[in-house]
Amino acid sequence: MKRNVLIIGAGGVAQVVAHKCAQHNDLLGDLHIASRTVAKCEAIIASVQAKGAMKVPGVFRAHAVDAMDSAAVAALIRDTGAQIVINVGSAFVNMYVLDACIATGAAYMDTAIHEDPAKICETPPWYGNYEWKKRDACKDAGVTAILGIGFDPGVVNVWARAAEGMLDRIDSIDIIDINAGSHGKYFATNFDPEINFREFTGTVYSWQKGGWQENRMFEVGKTWTLPVVGDQKAYLTGHDEVHSLAARYPQADVRFWMGFGDHYINVFTVLNNLGLLSEKPVRTAEGQEVIPLKVVKAVLPDPASLAPGYTGKTCIADLVKGEKDGKPAEVLIYNVADHKEAYEEVGSQGISYTAGVPPVAAAILVAQGTWDVGTMVNAEELDPKPFINLLNTMGLPSRIRDAAGDRELSF
Amino acid sequence: MKRNVLIIGAGGVAQVVAHKCAQHNDLLGDLHIASRTVAKCEAIIASVQAKGAMKVPGVFRAHAVDAMDSAAVAALIRDTGAQIVINVGSAFVNMYVLDACIATGAAYMDTAIHEDPAKICETPPWYGNYEWKKRDACKDAGVTAILGIGFDPGVVNVWARAAEGMLDRIDSIDIIDINAGSHGKYFATNFDPEINFREFTGTVYSWQKGGWQENRMFEVGKTWTLPVVGDQKAYLTGHDEVHSLAARYPQADVRFWMGFGDHYINVFTVLNNLGLLSEKPVRTAEGQEVIPLKVVKAVLPDPASLAPGYTGKTCIADLVKGEKDGKPAEVLIYNVADHKEAYEEVGSQGISYTAGVPPVAAAILVAQGTWDVGTMVNAEELDPKPFINLLNTMGLPSRIRDAAGDRELSF
């Protein structure tokens, strides 16, 4: 049994995490949120209070911390008595926060892979570059570290594991992420533009025929027919979960597909071809050193600002194909989320909602001991059933479509 | 009779001016070139020497000067004994260089209107905001100041004046600027991106039906059929010459059309809609103040770097319609320039060539006294004949297409 949660980060996903922790503070205990800018944390707590989201009276405090300072994070963990850390800060801070958890014994979870600001798209498997190097340290310290437990990576990994019980053999896992919503702006990214664009400027790695296949972004596209959102064009995209699922399912093809409209692709292509998505500094005629990607980020709408006007739905799915009883079989496990409903509940749009609810479910399972495994894992290494059942009650129901029809998935 | 030329600026147009001055240094005397970065001036002189472009042995020296420091420019004019200043520096320096000419008595010429870095697209007529306020000062000092004597503005103004002798009444002047060449890059501007984009982000002013008409860029497009380059789509664009020609021909419609391919328009539209062409600073997440347009400039190819691979031709034309002997009549006066030929002669591409040759022709006419009028003028106020005849011998022949056919225009 672990109690008391420290949330690292104060963006759109942190907002969701805060609201969902508050809704379950009877199980989670004291709540704390910390980021570089304490005012952002205070604004999130104010929005939690405005919604009356705290299930029972309790603590929710804001703190300022530099998450790249491990010792400062460790001190904050000790000061707050947090036994669970939900890291939804920038992808650049993961390893510093993880080190602080190893130092203090707190459970760790995040929703995206660690990145070095200066490197785009490192050698696969990506988890091998940073996180997995700390596996032994976690095990030795008995620290529970759940890597990538947002929606994708996260729920989609858990679904793949759940499909193990439905098929005798898994031949392919296609993860399809479609945002069929509309924010009404000329152009915007749904989360931090810097992280968003970095996903698409490097090599697209997929695991096919037992090896890493390399493509360029938008090189391989395919129209998928999905529940609710219908026909949607999606493109083979590099993504965290491919890099852990390939280790568990080496015999299967593991691919990630992200949906993009022609307009998004056009804007991305222009910016990328001009060099404006580069993380490497350029020098202006006046001699100022500037990182172009940071300027693009500065001119784009703040993703959090999109939430009030966002309409439409997201659909994220695992299409798992293989064999059952000697015959070809497939299951589609999926979730549909609604931007407007998400905003009404927690003040964030649907993309942040789908990323922010799962780590809170994971935190509850750690608090209850069910997932408190005392070592480092990716989501597919844990028992999927309690997690899927819990998410069904938290606003992110899993559904399944297979030969037997379309229905909620529960165990 | 004036002698000795000081060139201000060291970009692609300055390169052409330097080569052409060298080819006529028997008439022009000592040559000097000055910019903020003396190394750029030295490189231009080295290229002149490498081509053996000096007609007779003579002086060609490089100097460092901050062209926004009028006193420093005046001191340089006195030190060098220059009686003619060809200003092909940034559009931001015009008034400072003009003041230095007024202070020293040197003749002044430029190729583009003065701009305040902080303002886009001021009230028409644009010349009224800065240059024309110095008319009396030029007249009082007996200073010859020829405004906008590149190609457009410049030659196109002179052509309009020449058309006065061909028609009894002028009803419309359409200036059409087509670059049918190819630089082979994903995207590049043919001159300073900062100045280039500033032309298109403001209101498009044209003079029609006796008043200023306002449009947005790319709002009004038309396909023109031109000699050599054929059918070309061009768009109503704001441009300097409209603002002086409207004063001389208030009864006529005066419009400027610039040719753009769909790809250029797409890239421009994306950058403009995102706010990346703004001259107003934005603040990055890290707190750095950056002007987006300057970052776009930094990532784009240096226009000078396009020259070696540039192929194809430009066509710039005046289509002047009106009445002759009681019947409707029209003349098309035009020039076709070739990028590769320009590069072979002076090391610059065709756009720089067409802009850089005319001010040297004007300087020769000032040196000879023909155009040394001792006051401030726009190009259409001067006798067009000697200028057109001289340009015919300097690599920029004027041609005319009218009811009598297509032939070289000379007087």
Side-chain angles (χ1 to χ4, degrees):
Chain A
M1 295 290 289
K2 285 194 161 67
R3 281 181 72 82
N4 307 329
V5 174
L6 171 61
I7 303 163
I8 300 284
V13 177
Q15 161 106 4
V16 178
V17 169
H19 276 259
K20 284 293 180 182
C21 282
Q23 291 174 16
H24 299 275
N25 73 328
D26 54 330
L27 301 171
L28 295 172
D30 295 349
L31 305 178
H32 298 271
I33 180 166
S35 81
R36 205 162 35 179
T37 314
V38 73
K40 287 189 178 180
C41 300
E42 287 162 352
I44 286 175
I45 293 175
S47 102
V48 166
Q49 286 161 344
K51 288 269 186 204
M54 300 284 275
K55 184 167 184 187
V56 297
V59 167
F60 204 153
R61 280 202 202 103
H63 307 267
V65 76
D66 173 2
M68 294 176 100
D69 179 347
S70 266
V73 177
L76 186 59
I77 291 170
R78 289 192 190 98
D79 288 351
T80 56
Q83 293 179 306
I84 300 173
V85 174
I86 301 179
N87 171 27
V88 283
S90 142
F92 306 140
V93 309
N94 288 11
M95 299 312 291
Y96 306 99
V97 178
L98 176 59
D99 281 345
C101 288
I102 293 170
T104 59
Y108 170 88
M109 56 197 68
D110 63 34
T111 65
I113 211 156
H114 182 80
E115 293 190 47
D116 179 330
K119 295 181 186 169
I120 294 271
C121 200
E122 302 191 61
T123 318
W126 288 347
Y127 284 107
N129 297 310
Y130 301 100
E131 284 85 348
W132 289 349
K133 289 180 177 166
K134 294 283 182 174
R135 262 183 186 154
D136 288 347
C138 285
K139 193 171 185 182
D140 293 348
V143 163
T144 297
I146 305 176
L147 304 177
I149 190 66
F151 208 103
D152 45 340
V155 177
V156 298
N157 305 51
V158 171
W159 285 342
R161 174 68 183 272
E164 284 185 30
M166 306 171 191
L167 299 171
D168 300 330
R169 197 186 71 220
I170 292 179
D171 294 333
S172 66
I173 302 169
D174 285 292
I175 301 158
I176 307 147
D177 181 336
I178 301 293
N179 175 17
S182 168
H183 49 56
K185 310 274 182 191
Y186 173 74
F187 184 83
T189 55
N190 292 303
F191 55 102
D192 185 348
E194 198 173 349
I195 303 298
N196 188 257
F197 286 129
R198 286 169 62 104
E199 280 191 353
F200 313 137
T201 48
T203 303
V204 170
Y205 289 111
S206 59
W207 180 262
Q208 299 191 71
K209 296 185 181 135
W212 291 107
Q213 167 151 341
E214 299 185 16
N215 290 95
R216 280 170 295 104
M217 192 63 213
F218 303 120
E219 184 184 343
V220 185
K222 187 174 157 81
T223 297
W224 301 86
T225 302
L226 294 172
V228 184
V229 299
D231 283 2
Q232 296 282 346
K233 183 93 182 260
Y235 295 83
L236 200 62
T237 305
H239 227 242
D240 309 1
E241 51 269 48
V242 174
H243 297 257
S244 64
L245 290 170
R248 187 173 180 92
Y249 306 103
Q251 83 293 346
D253 291 343
V254 183
R255 292 171 289 242
F256 181 89
W257 304 82
M258 190 169 279
F260 294 94
D262 291 344
H263 175 63
Y264 184 102
I265 295 172
N266 180 45
V267 171
F268 173 85
T269 303
V270 167
L271 295 177
N272 196 35
N273 280 340
L274 293 182
L276 285 166
L277 301 185
S278 174
E279 81 291 358
K280 300 210 165 60
V282 297
R283 187 181 290 272
T284 68
E286 291 73 22
Q288 190 183 20
E289 286 244 336
V290 185
I291 294 174
L293 180 52
K294 293 191 183 288
V295 180
V296 171
K297 175 175 171 173
V299 299
L300 290 181
D302 176 353
S305 76
L306 305 174
Y310 225 125
T311 57
K313 295 179 193 297
T314 66
C315 178
I316 310 176
D318 278 13
L319 176 62
V320 185
K321 294 188 179 183
E323 205 178 81
K324 175 76 177 169
D325 302 329
K327 288 182 212 152
E330 66 175 62
V331 295
L332 182 83
I333 311 178
Y334 70 96
N335 167 265
V336 172
D338 184 276
H339 288 292
K340 192 158 170 284
E341 287 173 14
Y343 181 66
E344 285 166 2
E345 183 190 337
V346 300
S348 289
Q349 30 88 339
I351 312 282
S352 300
Y353 190 84
T354 55
V357 175
V360 181
I364 291 170
L365 294 180
V366 168
Q368 293 173 331
T370 320
W371 269 17
D372 192 16
V373 291
T375 187
M376 173 182 281
V377 289
N378 288 84
E380 62 271 29
E381 297 175 66
L382 296 164
D383 179 2
K385 295 172 184 173
F387 185 69
I388 289 171
N389 288 342
L390 180 55
L391 278 181
N392 285 344
T393 70
M394 288 178 70
L396 282 185
S398 293
R399 296 189 65 84
I400 183 166
R401 189 179 76 183
D402 60 10
D406 186 320
R407 62 206 177 277
E408 184 167 294
L409 176 65
S410 61
F411 298 94
Chain B
M1 294 290 288
K2 285 193 160 67
R3 281 182 71 84
N4 307 330
V5 174
L6 170 62
I7 304 163
I8 301 284
V13 178
Q15 162 106 3
V16 178
V17 170
H19 276 259
K20 283 291 178 181
C21 282
Q23 292 175 15
H24 299 274
N25 72 328
D26 54 331
L27 301 171
L28 294 172
D30 294 350
L31 306 179
H32 298 271
I33 180 166
S35 81
R36 205 162 35 180
T37 313
V38 72
K40 286 189 177 180
C41 300
E42 287 163 351
I44 286 176
I45 294 175
S47 101
V48 166
Q49 286 162 342
K51 288 268 185 205
M54 301 283 275
K55 183 165 183 187
V56 296
V59 167
F60 205 153
R61 280 203 202 100
H63 308 266
V65 77
D66 172 3
M68 295 176 100
D69 179 347
S70 267
V73 177
L76 186 59
I77 291 170
R78 289 192 190 98
D79 288 352
T80 55
Q83 293 180 306
I84 300 172
V85 174
I86 301 179
N87 171 26
V88 283
S90 143
F92 305 141
V93 309
N94 287 12
M95 298 313 292
Y96 305 100
V97 177
L98 176 59
D99 281 345
C101 289
I102 294 170
T104 58
Y108 170 86
M109 56 197 69
D110 63 35
T111 64
I113 211 155
H114 182 79
E115 293 190 47
D116 179 331
K119 295 181 186 169
I120 294 272
C121 199
E122 301 190 62
T123 317
W126 288 347
Y127 284 107
N129 296 309
Y130 301 100
E131 284 84 349
W132 288 349
K133 290 181 177 165
K134 295 282 181 176
R135 262 182 185 154
D136 289 346
C138 286
K139 193 171 185 184
D140 293 347
V143 163
T144 297
I146 305 176
L147 304 177
I149 190 66
F151 208 102
D152 44 341
V155 177
V156 298
N157 305 51
V158 171
W159 284 343
R161 173 68 183 269
E164 283 184 32
M166 306 172 192
L167 299 172
D168 300 329
R169 196 187 72 220
I170 292 179
D171 295 334
S172 66
I173 302 168
D174 285 292
I175 301 159
I176 308 147
D177 181 336
I178 300 294
N179 175 18
S182 169
H183 49 57
K185 309 274 183 190
Y186 173 74
F187 185 84
T189 56
N190 292 303
F191 55 102
D192 185 347
E194 199 174 348
I195 304 298
N196 188 256
F197 287 129
R198 285 170 63 102
E199 281 192 354
F200 313 137
T201 49
T203 303
V204 170
Y205 289 111
S206 59
W207 181 263
Q208 298 191 71
K209 297 184 180 137
W212 291 107
Q213 168 151 339
E214 300 185 15
N215 289 96
R216 280 170 294 103
M217 191 64 211
F218 303 120
E219 185 185 342
V220 184
K222 187 175 156 81
T223 298
W224 301 86
T225 302
L226 293 172
V228 183
V229 298
D231 283 0
Q232 296 283 345
K233 183 92 181 260
Y235 296 83
L236 199 63
T237 305
H239 227 240
D240 309 2
E241 51 270 49
V242 175
H243 296 257
S244 66
L245 290 171
R248 188 175 179 90
Y249 307 102
Q251 82 293 347
D253 291 343
V254 184
R255 291 171 289 242
F256 181 90
W257 306 82
M258 190 170 278
F260 293 94
D262 292 343
H263 175 64
Y264 185 102
I265 295 172
N266 179 47
V267 171
F268 173 85
T269 303
V270 166
L271 295 177
N272 196 35
N273 280 340
L274 293 182
L276 286 166
L277 302 185
S278 174
E279 80 290 1
K280 301 212 163 60
V282 296
R283 186 181 290 273
T284 68
E286 291 74 20
Q288 191 182 20
E289 285 244 336
V290 185
I291 295 174
L293 180 53
K294 293 192 181 289
V295 179
V296 171
K297 174 175 171 172
V299 300
L300 290 181
D302 177 352
S305 75
L306 305 174
Y310 226 124
T311 56
K313 294 180 194 296
T314 66
C315 177
I316 310 176
D318 278 12
L319 177 62
V320 185
K321 293 188 180 182
E323 206 179 81
K324 175 77 177 166
D325 302 328
K327 287 182 214 153
E330 65 175 63
V331 295
L332 181 85
I333 311 178
Y334 70 96
N335 166 264
V336 171
D338 184 276
H339 288 291
K340 190 158 171 285
E341 286 172 14
Y343 181 66
E344 285 167 1
E345 183 190 338
V346 300
S348 289
Q349 32 87 340
I351 312 282
S352 301
Y353 191 85
T354 55
V357 175
V360 180
I364 291 169
L365 294 180
V366 168
Q368 293 173 331
T370 320
W371 270 17
D372 192 14
V373 291
T375 188
M376 173 182 281
V377 289
N378 288 86
E380 62 271 30
E381 297 176 66
L382 296 163
D383 180 3
K385 294 173 185 174
F387 185 70
I388 289 171
N389 288 343
L390 181 55
L391 277 182
N392 285 343
T393 70
M394 288 179 70
L396 282 185
S398 293
R399 296 188 64 84
I400 183 167
R401 189 180 74 183
D402 60 11
D406 185 320
R407 60 205 178 277
E408 184 166 293
L409 176 66
S410 61
F411 298 92

